Amino acid sequence: MSLASQGPTLTKSIGPHPFDPLSPQEIRLGHRILQSVFPGVELRVNRIDLQEPIKKDVMPYIEAERLGQPLPQKPARLIYAYFHRLDTGACCKAVLNADKGSVVYAKELPPGIQIPMDVDEITGIEELCMRHPAVLAEIEKLKLPPGVTVCNDPWMYGTDNVNETRRLFQCFMYIVEVEHPENNHYSIPCKFSPVFDGATQELVRMDYLPGGADSQTVETQPWKPVKTIQYAPNLLDEPLRTDLKPYIVQQPEGASFSVEGNKVYWQKWRLRVGFNNRDGLVLYNLTYDNRNILYRLSVSEMTVPYGDPRAPYHRKQAFDVGDVGFGLNANQLTLGCDCLGHIKYFDGYRSDSKGQPVLLKNIICMHEQDNGLQHKHTNYRSGAATVVRNRQLVLQMICTVANYEYIFAYILDQAGNIELEIRATGILSTVPFDNENGETVKWGTNVGPGVMAPFHQHMFSLRIDPAIDGFNNTIYYQDSVPLPEDDNNPYLVGYTTEETVIDKSNTANTDVARHRVFKIRNDNAINPITYKPVAYKLMAAPSQMLIQPKKALGYQRAEFATKPIWVTKYQDDELYAAGEFTNQSRRAQGVETWVQRKDNTENEDVVLWHTFGLTHNPRIEDFPVMPMERISVMLKPDGFFTKNPALDVPQSTQSFNKSTLHPEASCCESMKSKI
């Protein structure tokens, strides 16, 4: 129901760029507007963040910027807020106008819809769990020796009951054998797991976790001591390597990029760096040589369903974007560790539960890197070689979601390519498992004494809002197929391509056997050499899709993860592949819903969604900390230019790069190295 349609006018906000993240002043303003709309009502703020500008309103502004023309009026600066009314317990959402200091609307959300978890709430549940008498009683049953304690990770509850409307948290408990800030508590999981009501702060029940291949559980028993499997350097039993020499990335004249606020200039690229609590890092308004390429690019959703069929693990399905937010989980990055070279950092802000800004320091790093050769050719007649190295611009964010780390790097290069590289690392989500006598299960890997890591998937959705030489584009796929076996192909060696236009909102599959390539073209701009529309192609990451049947609740909550390609017509409120609200959702309200409209998507303002991911069946080598798993998606120009756009990059020379030679070993030294 609508709670307010117009609020009192307050002090107007300053005038940031439409794509700039919220400032601390705007977060405070948003809170004051909320308070003015609900006088006398105690509110618990979940989130105050940027509401994306209305696209049709912002397009004239960014086009005037691109063309160097006088700027029209900015679109309305909008803020959204999620919050709880503490008098009624209702989850609410409001959209606020920062320019006018007023409310656009405020409404209660339907029963059962849960807004995301927030940092203060998670911390509060963690503390509640550790002081609750029932939890303390279970800990007492463990009969822990002096100095050994217990901690917990609050988890999103998932879904297993379509009638459940309470705001629930499942806490997984771990034994802390060593009191150290980098202790690996995931090495010793406990067999009890309390469930709390986040609204009432009440214990709903105590779940007891299975310790064998079936779902049978037992009451908490005294702990049989095992040694923690550690990963921190100063907790290891073995010494660290001593033969690693410094690797120093130097740029004595600084970087080749420049920055004005959140606008980045690098080589022929121009873009704006955005940040919000949900997506985290967002790239806006990417142009190359002053030509439009993308309006917006971000990872719109991610789900991690676990394959352990035993209760209560069947509920373990995190939506790390929708349930919590990459932005809220972004790391404060450290010079010389997370990024090497000449670094530019970007900060962000979130709100706390009282509506006040909290600084998120150094959460995005930007730097250049060398990535080998860009192109090379040696004329075999003359021996003359043309060598150009591939300089890249990297914008990186690292998110810690409880046990896992995700490293997101958007990489631009001098040839017009845009890559998203994702690396997964961190620690496996572990469960207790009695494996003293060699027991194993079909859906997990034993990674230590009494500890097992279940199979699971990491499914990402990359949202691509294209603007290939303009904002109306067409998406199609191209297959490579043999020519007919006829007189025009007498030697049966010929092949050609077949093109299929996705002219209505729909899905499509990848097809490695046919070298299927998805392309985004502008039918209104023809390449003068190829006589075909200018385009970019998606170098998709063919991946296994969601391993669940349609009748599974996990499937219904994450239907975006069942198809690698989705094409929709743009709408302002459609930013997230699994819909706006994923926390304890019963079914998605995302791309699977929007494609049913069968909108015309040929020569229209369209959005391309690419689902890809990792099916992670853990190795013991993934524990106690996981060597990174890497997956990559790339957008490459395909008929966008009339020749290689990196031809004007200077050749690679020793005078520029200043490489050094490794000293030749003496005869005696060579013999020593072989002994």
Short mmCIF file of all heavy atoms in Angstrom, two decimals, residues 4 104 120 360 425 467 510 552:
data_model
loop_
_atom_site.label_atom_id
_atom_site.label_comp_id
_atom_site.label_asym_id
_atom_site.label_seq_id
_atom_site.Cartn_x
_atom_site.Cartn_y
_atom_site.Cartn_z
N ALA A 4 2.97 7.29 1.30
CA ALA A 4 3.16 8.71 1.08
C ALA A 4 3.42 8.95 -0.39
O ALA A 4 4.06 8.16 -1.05
CB ALA A 4 4.32 9.24 1.92
N VAL A 104 9.38 10.59 -3.51
CA VAL A 104 8.62 10.24 -4.72
C VAL A 104 7.53 9.25 -4.33
O VAL A 104 6.37 9.42 -4.69
CB VAL A 104 9.56 9.65 -5.80
CG1 VAL A 104 8.77 9.23 -7.03
CG2 VAL A 104 10.65 10.65 -6.16
N ASP A 120 25.12 -4.12 9.75
CA ASP A 120 24.78 -4.02 11.18
C ASP A 120 23.89 -5.19 11.62
O ASP A 120 24.03 -5.69 12.74
CB ASP A 120 24.06 -2.70 11.45
CG ASP A 120 24.98 -1.49 11.30
OD1 ASP A 120 26.18 -1.70 11.06
OD2 ASP A 120 24.50 -0.35 11.41
N LEU A 360 33.69 3.55 2.97
CA LEU A 360 34.28 2.30 2.49
C LEU A 360 35.53 2.70 1.72
O LEU A 360 35.47 3.12 0.57
CB LEU A 360 33.28 1.55 1.59
CG LEU A 360 31.93 1.22 2.25
CD1 LEU A 360 30.97 0.65 1.22
CD2 LEU A 360 32.11 0.26 3.41
N THR A 425 38.42 -17.26 -4.85
CA THR A 425 39.41 -17.81 -3.91
C THR A 425 38.77 -17.78 -2.52
O THR A 425 37.56 -17.82 -2.39
CB THR A 425 40.74 -17.03 -3.99
OG1 THR A 425 41.65 -17.53 -3.02
CG2 THR A 425 40.55 -15.54 -3.78
N ALA A 467 25.53 0.23 -26.31
CA ALA A 467 25.24 1.47 -27.05
C ALA A 467 26.21 1.53 -28.22
O ALA A 467 27.00 2.46 -28.36
CB ALA A 467 25.41 2.68 -26.15
N THR A 510 24.47 -21.37 -25.80
CA THR A 510 25.76 -21.43 -26.46
C THR A 510 25.87 -22.76 -27.20
O THR A 510 25.14 -23.70 -26.91
CB THR A 510 26.90 -21.29 -25.43
OG1 THR A 510 26.70 -22.25 -24.39
CG2 THR A 510 26.92 -19.89 -24.82
N ALA A 552 12.42 -27.81 -8.40
CA ALA A 552 13.19 -27.43 -7.21
C ALA A 552 12.99 -25.95 -6.92
O ALA A 552 12.99 -25.11 -7.84
CB ALA A 552 14.67 -27.73 -7.41
#
